[in-house]
Amino acid sequence: RRHEIATRSAMGAGSARIVRLFLTESLLLAVLGSLLGVALAHGGVEILVALAPAIPHLADVALNLRVLGFASLLTILTTFLFGGFPALLASRRSAAPLLTAGARASRAQRALSRAVMGGELALAVMLLVAGGLLGRSLSRLLEVDPGFDARGLAAVEIRLPESRYHRESSGAFFREALARIQAIPGIGSVTAVSRLPFPGSTSTMPFEVQGQSRGLLFYQVGPRYFETLDVPILAGTSLDETIRPGDPLTIVVNETAARRFWPRGSAVGARVSLSGFTQDPVTVVGVVGDMKRQILTTDAEPAFYIPFSQLPDQTLCFLARTRIDASDAIPLMRDAVVSLDREWVVRTATTLSALVQNSTRHERFRALLMNAFGLLATLLAAAGVIGVTARSVSLRTREMGIKLALG
């Protein structure tokens, strides 16, 4: 706009008036852009909060007045710097050369334009690459084996009140509920466990063997638990389905526990002490594969499994391998369990696949944020490249005309 500035100067406009004109135009654009930005930020925050996983104090996330104040101050400074300074420099030059000369781009201007475009594209590519890497990491995370086959597994969890169900009656309720779920059409293998592997609440018991003692994770499991979840039996046998209260207690340990406590020998047949449950020695009858407990990125922890019939729990998580869609089987399982006692409210009713997927919610959210900002940066870079290129072309119109005239 040097030609315009020169024309205004020739007509008597002083430098202050010209600078004030450009500042007014820039400030108007800054105010309109800021208002639009605040509106987009308000809507964007609401969308991100709605998409975010469970994060502490998530309800307190909102637009911050200090951040808005800082952004407004930065906008004003940017307006004065990029709106007033170039106009001030142009207004102090002689008007005559600018009025007689055509617009042309110097080598320095062309180099600056190329540098601006390259910088914009480099920043956009950097964010896109980071988003792509996060997406790739998420894809590889979802390929991690949780230690069991979550496909086609439906889960229904209930809690028995201690005031109405003691250990013997909870065992009877457990067996009757298994029978009713097994009778549902489309249901294959049925089992139960005291706690679902995901999200993986913990319960430990003192575990002592060969002078080593520590608190180990333990689970009370029903018949065919490992077969239903498709967990491999690495050594020995699974838990006997015919075990009843009062029979000698037997347990199964996972592979990590077997490596830790019996690094040079077999865990099958070993005798261990569970002082939190019984003073009598307990026999290990099998070793099973490791299962993840909370998130896919962590290693499996040492754990052992006890028959539910010998150590009933007030919490019951029924698992069924379905031949129909697992989501369709959930209401049927829930009705079958609640029909035994209409006063119960089911605590959890979901699929194991959904639980495993939910364990990656934080990684999904981070990938979503990075890709969203990368896309936004790409759009801004595209707008910048179009603007800089259009200006460069307009400045080189004379040069292009000469080249055309020369053939």
Side-chain angles (χ1 to χ4, degrees), residues 260-304:
R260 175 165 300 182
F261 292 102
W262 298 275
R264 296 181 179 85
S266 174
V268 178
R271 305 280 281 178
V272 302
S273 175
L274 302 178
S275 57
F277 173 59
T278 178
Q279 298 301 320
D280 298 329
V282 178
T283 303
V284 178
V285 297
V287 178
V288 298
D290 291 330
M291 285 189 283
K292 304 284 186 178
R293 181 175 64 87
Q294 282 187 318
I295 54 179
L296 295 173
T297 54
T298 58
D299 295 330
E301 302 170 78
F304 66 95

Side-chain angles (χ1 to χ4, degrees), residues 196-218:
L196 293 171
F198 288 86
S201 59
T202 60
S203 185
T204 61
M205 182 183 295
F207 186 92
E208 183 175 349
V209 57
Q210 299 177 355
Q212 302 182 58
S213 179
R214 60 168 294 177
L216 244 63
L217 297 175
F218 76 97

Side-chain angles (χ1 to χ4, degrees), residues 97-294:
L98 294 174
L99 287 172
T100 57
R104 61 184 183 274
S106 65
R107 290 183 178 180
Q109 289 174 325
R110 289 197 294 268
L112 178 61
S113 297
R114 288 193 292 267
V116 170
M117 287 189 291
E120 287 180 318
L121 291 174
L123 292 174
V125 169
M126 178 184 67
L127 286 176
L128 287 175
V129 169
L133 290 175
L134 276 178
R136 177 58 179 164
S137 298
L138 177 61
S139 176
R140 292 179 67 96
L141 177 62
L142 295 176
E143 295 174 358
V144 173
D145 183 13
F148 58 91
D149 186 5
R151 297 170 298 179
L153 274 178
V156 173
E157 179 185 19
I158 65 170
R159 175 75 180 177
L160 303 178
E162 297 180 4
S163 59
R164 292 180 54 192
Y165 288 86
H166 49 81
R167 220 170 240 196
E168 290 75 14
S169 60
S170 64
F173 175 87
F174 162 73
R175 291 187 292 273
E176 178 63 23
L178 283 180
R180 293 200 179 193
I181 294 174
Q182 186 70 70
I184 298 174
I187 296 293
S189 179
V190 178
T191 187
V193 65
S194 55
R195 290 171 304 281
L196 293 171
F198 288 86
S201 59
T202 60
S203 185
T204 61
M205 182 183 295
F207 186 92
E208 183 175 349
V209 57
Q210 299 177 355
Q212 302 182 58
S213 179
R214 60 168 294 177
L216 244 63
L217 297 175
F218 76 97
Y219 300 88
Q220 299 104 304
V221 298
R224 297 185 57 78
Y225 176 73
F226 304 110
E227 293 80 1
T228 301
L229 270 67
D230 198 17
V231 178
I233 308 296
L234 304 179
T237 63
S238 181
L239 295 172
D240 191 350
E241 298 182 23
T242 63
I243 295 177
R244 291 291 180 263
D247 291 346
L249 185 62
T250 58
I251 63 171
V252 166
V253 299
N254 67 354
E255 185 179 6
T256 298
R259 284 199 308 264
R260 175 165 300 182
F261 292 102
W262 298 275
R264 296 181 179 85
S266 174
V268 178
R271 305 280 281 178
V272 302
S273 175
L274 302 178
S275 57
F277 173 59
T278 178
Q279 298 301 320
D280 298 329
V282 178
T283 303
V284 178
V285 297
V287 178
V288 298
D290 291 330
M291 285 189 283
K292 304 284 186 178
R293 181 175 64 87
Q294 282 187 318

Side-chain angles (χ1 to χ4, degrees), residues 302-322:
F304 66 95
Y305 303 88
I306 303 177
F308 191 91
S309 58
Q310 292 190 313
L311 186 60
D313 197 301
Q314 299 304 122
T315 300
L316 299 172
C317 305
F318 297 101
L319 299 169
R321 177 74 64 182
T322 64

Side-chain angles (χ1 to χ4, degrees), residues 22-37:
F22 276 75
L23 284 178
T24 302
E25 293 178 358
S26 300
L27 188 60
L28 179 61
L29 289 175
V31 169
L32 293 176
S34 297
L35 292 176
L36 178 60

